[in-house]
Amino acid sequence: MTPVFRPDPAGGQVVITRFECPSRLVLLRLVVLHLRIKRAVRRRLPELIGSRLLVDWGARTLLSISVWPTLESVYGMGSVPEHISGSRIPHRLGARTTAGFFTFTGDWRQIMFGSPVAAHSPLHACVQDD
Protein backbone atom coordinates (compact mmCIF):
# COMPACT_ATOMS: atom_id res chain seq x y z
CA MET A 1 0.00 0.00 0.00
CA THR A 2 1.28 3.43 -0.95
CA PRO A 3 0.52 6.17 1.56
CA VAL A 4 -1.46 9.11 0.22
CA PHE A 5 -0.17 12.52 1.19
CA ARG A 6 -2.20 15.50 0.08
CA PRO A 7 -0.66 18.70 1.42
CA ASP A 8 -3.32 21.09 2.68
CA PRO A 9 -1.73 24.36 3.88
CA ALA A 10 -5.13 25.56 5.14
CA GLY A 11 -5.12 22.60 7.54
CA GLY A 12 -2.33 24.04 9.64
CA GLN A 13 1.40 24.47 9.88
CA VAL A 14 4.09 23.37 12.24
CA VAL A 15 7.25 25.44 11.94
CA ILE A 16 10.47 24.05 13.38
CA THR A 17 13.65 26.09 13.63
CA ARG A 18 16.91 24.49 14.73
CA PHE A 19 19.70 26.47 16.37
CA GLU A 20 23.12 24.86 16.78
CA CYS A 21 25.10 26.99 19.20
CA PRO A 22 28.87 27.29 19.64
CA SER A 23 28.54 27.32 23.45
CA ARG A 24 26.05 26.79 26.25
CA LEU A 25 26.19 30.51 26.99
CA VAL A 26 24.97 31.29 23.46
CA LEU A 27 22.30 28.61 23.87
CA LEU A 28 21.13 30.23 27.11
CA ARG A 29 21.00 33.63 25.43
CA LEU A 30 18.85 32.21 22.63
CA VAL A 31 16.49 30.52 25.10
CA VAL A 32 15.97 33.85 26.89
CA LEU A 33 15.55 35.65 23.55
CA HIS A 34 12.93 33.14 22.44
CA LEU A 35 10.94 33.53 25.64
CA ARG A 36 10.83 37.31 25.11
CA ILE A 37 9.84 36.94 21.46
CA LYS A 38 7.17 34.39 22.35
CA ARG A 39 5.48 36.88 24.69
CA ALA A 40 5.52 39.56 21.97
CA VAL A 41 4.11 37.14 19.38
CA ARG A 42 1.33 36.04 21.75
CA ARG A 43 0.33 39.69 22.28
CA ARG A 44 0.23 40.52 18.57
CA LEU A 45 -0.83 37.21 16.98
CA PRO A 46 -3.64 35.50 18.90
CA GLU A 47 -3.95 32.91 16.12
CA LEU A 48 -0.74 31.22 17.28
CA ILE A 49 -1.95 27.88 18.65
CA GLY A 50 1.17 27.22 20.68
CA SER A 51 4.94 27.09 20.75
CA ARG A 52 7.59 25.17 22.63
CA LEU A 53 11.34 25.10 22.99
CA LEU A 54 13.26 21.85 23.14
CA VAL A 55 16.73 22.35 24.55
CA ASP A 56 19.58 19.85 24.37
CA TRP A 57 22.27 21.36 26.57
CA GLY A 58 24.78 18.62 25.80
CA ALA A 59 24.51 19.09 22.05
CA ARG A 60 24.06 22.88 22.47
CA THR A 61 20.96 22.70 20.28
CA LEU A 62 17.61 24.45 20.48
CA LEU A 63 14.48 23.50 18.56
CA SER A 64 11.77 26.14 18.39
CA ILE A 65 8.42 24.60 17.44
CA SER A 66 5.35 26.69 16.68
CA VAL A 67 1.88 25.56 15.60
CA TRP A 68 -0.34 27.70 13.38
CA PRO A 69 -3.89 27.19 12.05
CA THR A 70 -3.10 28.30 8.47
CA LEU A 71 -0.17 29.21 6.29
CA GLU A 72 -1.39 32.80 6.18
CA SER A 73 -1.24 33.07 9.97
CA VAL A 74 2.49 32.32 9.94
CA TYR A 75 3.12 35.39 7.79
CA GLY A 76 2.00 37.51 10.73
CA MET A 77 5.46 36.97 12.23
CA GLY A 78 6.61 39.64 9.78
CA SER A 79 4.57 42.19 11.72
CA VAL A 80 6.20 41.46 15.09
CA PRO A 81 9.14 43.86 15.54
CA GLU A 82 10.69 41.72 18.29
CA HIS A 83 10.76 38.72 15.95
CA ILE A 84 12.21 40.74 13.09
CA SER A 85 15.05 42.18 15.17
CA GLY A 86 15.54 38.94 17.11
CA SER A 87 15.94 36.89 13.93
CA ARG A 88 19.26 38.64 13.26
CA ILE A 89 20.84 37.76 16.61
CA PRO A 90 21.60 34.00 16.29
CA HIS A 91 23.94 34.52 13.33
CA ARG A 92 25.75 37.32 15.19
CA LEU A 93 26.28 34.93 18.12
CA GLY A 94 27.73 32.24 15.86
CA ALA A 95 24.70 29.93 15.87
CA ARG A 96 23.86 27.93 12.77
CA THR A 97 20.17 27.76 11.90
CA THR A 98 17.78 25.93 9.66
CA ALA A 99 13.98 25.93 9.58
CA GLY A 100 11.15 24.08 7.89
CA PHE A 101 7.38 24.13 7.48
CA PHE A 102 5.36 20.98 8.00
CA THR A 103 1.83 21.09 6.68
CA PHE A 104 -1.26 18.99 7.30
CA THR A 105 -1.43 16.09 4.84
CA GLY A 106 -4.52 14.15 5.85
CA ASP A 107 -6.18 11.98 8.46
CA TRP A 108 -3.87 9.42 10.07
CA ARG A 109 -6.19 6.55 9.10
CA GLN A 110 -6.11 7.63 5.49
CA ILE A 111 -2.32 7.95 5.44
CA MET A 112 -1.49 4.81 7.42
CA PHE A 113 -4.18 2.46 6.15
CA GLY A 114 -5.73 4.06 3.07
CA SER A 115 -9.10 4.33 4.82
CA PRO A 116 -11.68 6.45 3.00
CA VAL A 117 -12.18 8.98 5.77
CA ALA A 118 -12.55 12.70 5.45
CA ALA A 119 -9.43 14.63 6.30
CA HIS A 120 -9.82 17.04 9.21
CA SER A 121 -6.87 18.86 10.73
CA PRO A 122 -6.45 18.54 14.51
CA LEU A 123 -5.38 22.19 14.47
CA HIS A 124 -9.01 23.19 13.85
CA ALA A 125 -12.12 22.46 15.91
CA CYS A 126 -13.63 19.02 15.46
CA VAL A 127 -16.61 18.80 13.16
CA GLN A 128 -19.83 17.43 14.58
CA ASP A 129 -20.73 13.99 13.21
CA ASP A 130 -24.43 13.65 12.43
Side-chain angles (χ1 to χ4, degrees):
M1 170 183 15
T2 304
V4 178
F5 291 94
R6 292 187 180 92
D8 178 12
Q13 308 295 313
V14 175
V15 181
I16 302 176
T17 306
R18 179 184 186 92
F19 300 86
E20 295 178 352
C21 302
S23 69
R24 287 188 181 100
L25 180 58
V26 169
L27 177 57
L28 177 61
R29 289 182 70 183
L30 290 184
V31 168
V32 171
L33 175 67
H34 271 82
L35 294 175
R36 288 181 183 153
I37 291 172
K38 179 180 176 177
R39 282 193 298 271
V41 170
R42 277 261 178 234
R43 281 192 305 271
R44 295 176 190 268
L45 302 174
E47 57 269 24
L48 172 66
I49 294 171
S51 65
R52 290 290 180 262
L53 296 180
L54 299 178
V55 182
D56 183 337
W57 293 101
R60 301 180 318 273
T61 301
L62 169 67
L63 292 179
S64 171
I65 303 167
S66 59
V67 181
W68 301 86
T70 63
L71 180 58
E72 293 78 24
S73 63
V74 181
Y75 287 110
M77 293 292 280
S79 68
V80 181
E82 294 86 349
H83 181 263
I84 295 167
S85 61
S87 67
R88 298 179 179 103
I89 294 173
H91 177 73
R92 291 182 195 152
L93 296 176
R96 294 182 304 196
T97 63
T98 185
F101 280 59
F102 300 84
T103 192
F104 178 69
T105 59
D107 184 275
W108 69 274
R109 296 164 291 187
Q110 185 181 48
I111 292 170
M112 298 296 292
F113 306 113
S115 299
V117 296
H120 185 79
S121 172
L123 301 181
H124 300 286
C126 293
V127 291
Q128 189 70 14
D129 292 330
D130 292 326

